[in-house]
Amino acid sequence: MKYKKRNKIEKNRGFTIIQSLVYIFLTTIILVEGISLYISVYKSYLETQSLTIKYNNYQDFYINLDNIIAEGNIEKIVANSDNIIFSKDNKAENINKIIKAFDGKIVVKYTRYGSNETINYMLKDIDRLEVKTKKNLIYLIIYDEEGKEFIKCI
């Protein structure tokens, strides 16, 4: 009887080296795949975040443009191929607002009686700005650095 108990104890001692190696190998594969998946999801998150910020900047630009137009007392709008001029011919103000592309940015230049008052940038990281007219409509076409175009009718 003592002999039989001794064999049972020796059989239940633990895992073999092969079982331990298989466990380590499978665990390593699972961890590597998990880390790879996490890295790809994080890169996708960063790209989405960058794109969202870019589109928010374009939306802010359009809101600011609408505010400039809605200020009132605009008596004349002149659309050239690369800029738009909003003129107030009011005797008290006589302010012109010129929206154009300059050095990779869209700027609004305020002039009064022919002299510059200030220049504010409205949007950056653009390639070019085009202004097209069709009857009474003015189309503002913005090309970003990646070649995408954003069109607004004013």
Side-chain angles (χ1 to χ4, degrees):
M1 278 239 216
K2 288 183 180 181
Y3 180 70
K4 287 184 181 180
K5 285 183 181 179
R6 194 173 199 193
N7 282 341
K8 283 186 181 179
I9 293 173
E10 288 180 13
K11 287 183 181 179
N12 293 329
R13 276 192 344 191
F15 297 109
T16 64
I17 293 176
I18 294 175
Q19 290 172 329
S20 297
L21 289 175
V22 168
Y23 170 77
I24 291 171
F25 177 73
L26 291 176
T27 304
T28 303
I29 290 175
I30 292 170
L31 286 174
V32 167
E33 289 299 319
I35 291 171
S36 172
L37 181 64
Y38 175 77
I39 289 172
S40 66
V41 167
Y42 187 70
K43 283 181 181 178
S44 175
Y45 164 75
L46 291 177
E47 290 172 2
T48 303
Q49 181 183 25
S50 171
L51 193 60
T52 302
I53 290 170
K54 178 179 176 179
Y55 286 139
N56 284 341
N57 289 338
Y58 278 89
Q59 290 300 320
D60 288 342
F61 165 74
Y62 290 132
I63 290 170
N64 290 333
L65 180 64
D66 289 340
N67 288 337
I68 288 173
I69 294 169
E71 284 177 352
N73 297 333
I74 296 176
E75 296 182 8
K76 188 166 77 171
I77 299 174
V78 177
N80 298 320
S81 64
D82 62 347
N83 64 27
I84 302 174
I85 302 171
F86 299 101
S87 296
K88 288 185 180 182
D89 288 333
N90 188 347
K91 301 284 185 215
E93 294 182 18
N94 195 10
I95 294 178
N96 292 333
K97 298 172 186 170
I98 303 168
I99 297 175
K100 64 180 182 175
F102 176 73
D103 197 29
K105 299 176 186 168
I106 295 180
V107 298
V108 58
K109 182 167 109 174
Y110 294 88
T111 61
R112 185 183 307 248
Y113 300 112
S115 65
N116 291 338
E117 286 203 355
T118 186
I119 297 174
N120 296 331
Y121 89 89
M122 297 176 70
L123 185 64
K124 59 183 178 178
D125 299 329
I126 67 158
D127 185 36
R128 68 184 189 276
L129 169 73
E130 290 181 5
V131 180
K132 297 190 177 187
T133 57
K134 186 174 184 180
K135 295 186 182 179
N136 290 337
L137 299 176
I138 299 172
Y139 293 97
L140 188 67
I141 305 168
I142 302 168
Y143 295 93
D144 69 356
E145 293 175 338
E146 297 170 358
K148 295 179 185 172
E149 63 181 22
F150 299 87
I151 302 173
K152 170 88 172 174
C153 179
I154 56 173

